[in-house]
Amino acid sequence: MAEYQDSLLVDSHAHLDGSQFVDDLDATIDRATANGISHILTIGCDLKSSEQSIAIANKYEHIFAAVGVHPHDAVEIDDESLKILRSMLTQPKVVALGEIGLDFYRDRSPREIQRYAFRRQIRLAREMGKPIIIHDRDAHNEVIQILKEEKSSEIGGVLHCFSGDLQIAEQCLELGFYLSFTGTITYPKNQEIRDVIKHIPIDRMLVETDCPYLSPQKFRGKRNEPALVRYTAEKIAEIKDLTIEDVAIITSANCRSLFGLGAVKVTSV
Ligand SMILES: [Zn+2]
Ligand SMILES: [Zn+2]
């Protein structure tokens, strides 16, 4: 008998296409399911990984994809690549454009090119009516300014692996965006981000792994994977004085309303 079960988590940001999962992707996905993960969004960083993310999403019913060009690879963005992204965005399992944004921490692409790629992809998302998944490192104020100038509130989206302070968080919420948190909230030194979580409403939060990176404290130094998103949800439950079931129900509902994922259907025995 099939029933809807809400107390399952969504890993809203994973990179399943990478070489780190090539040998055991099926087992990794099975472990996620065994740990109560109902859906996974696998996220593209350039055209190649976007294509691979779609292939993975097409293979597994409960996996969805986002396509986009990361600020590190911003040089890839031109009229031709935007055309390819536009066509990818019409595919049924593609629910968002991302990850896109600014990274002034690593500065792997010239900042001017990062800004250009970010703006062009927001415009594409607006044209296609898709939410955006934003990567922001050490560029908070400029990210917010570009989000405003490009009228991105029309489509909404999420600031993934949020790393700003409370003031930045409030500005993002005002623009209608969600904030997503990774295993980094379990790191002892990260009190500032736990303070942000304490003060913002849970109905605007998502959880993610950003795997294979950013393993929670208990697994630091090892490969991260979707099953471990539970540790982030547990930490949020502790900070907000909620149960993990509450966190699962609300963050999964947030994912459904942002990305349009259907209600979670599980077959019970
Ligand atoms: Zn990122
Ligand atoms: Zn990522």
Side-chain angles (χ1 to χ4, degrees), residues 13 15 43 45 70 99 135 160 208 210 213:
H13 191 116
H15 298 281
I43 314 289
C45 291
H70 192 285
E99 60 185 293
H135 172 101
H160 108 88
E208 62 168 297
D210 203 15
Y213 321 107

Side-chain angles (χ1 to χ4, degrees), residues 30-167:
D30 286 348
R31 270 194 302 280
T33 306
N35 280 279
I37 315 306
S38 67
H39 294 87
I40 304 168
L41 251 71
T42 190
I43 314 289
C45 291
D46 55 21
L47 289 184
K48 188 166 166 250
S49 70
S50 295
E51 192 68 63
Q52 288 167 340
S53 297
I54 296 173
I56 292 169
N58 285 341
K59 195 170 162 205
Y60 303 90
E61 199 188 344
H62 65 300
I63 299 184
F64 293 80
V67 298
V69 173
H70 192 285
H72 291 342
D73 296 291
V75 289
E76 247 192 14
I77 287 295
D78 57 19
D79 289 343
E80 187 52 35
S81 58
L82 285 162
K83 221 165 111 186
I84 296 169
L85 284 175
R86 183 181 291 113
S87 119
M88 288 178 175
L89 285 163
T90 63
Q91 300 214 24
K93 294 297 286 289
V94 177
V95 295
L97 198 157
E99 60 185 293
I100 61 173
L102 302 176
D103 193 317
F104 293 171
Y105 177 71
R106 297 208 191 271
D107 276 324
R108 282 200 202 148
S109 305
R111 291 186 178 183
E112 214 32 65
I113 293 175
Q114 292 190 39
R115 294 181 185 109
Y116 173 79
F118 189 26
R119 286 183 189 273
R120 293 283 318 253
Q121 291 182 95
I122 296 174
R123 287 172 205 168
L124 176 61
R126 283 180 57 211
E127 183 196 321
M128 303 300 288
K130 294 283 184 194
I132 49 179
I133 296 172
I134 298 156
H135 172 101
D136 160 24
R137 268 205 86 189
D138 289 359
H140 311 313
N141 289 319
E142 223 179 295
V143 163
I144 287 170
Q145 190 192 335
I146 289 176
L147 289 177
K148 281 184 186 160
E149 287 174 6
E150 297 296 337
K151 301 185 179 67
S152 51
S153 295
E154 277 179 17
I155 40 170
V158 57
L159 281 101
H160 108 88
C161 192
F162 183 76
S163 59
D165 60 16
L166 186 57
Q167 202 203 345

Side-chain angles (χ1 to χ4, degrees), residues 188-204:
K189 277 188 180 163
N190 254 348
Q191 191 51 45
E192 193 185 14
I193 204 73
R194 287 189 286 275
D195 290 340
V196 170
I197 291 170
K198 205 177 170 73
H199 288 98
I200 61 168
I202 182 130
D203 61 6
R204 303 293 292 281

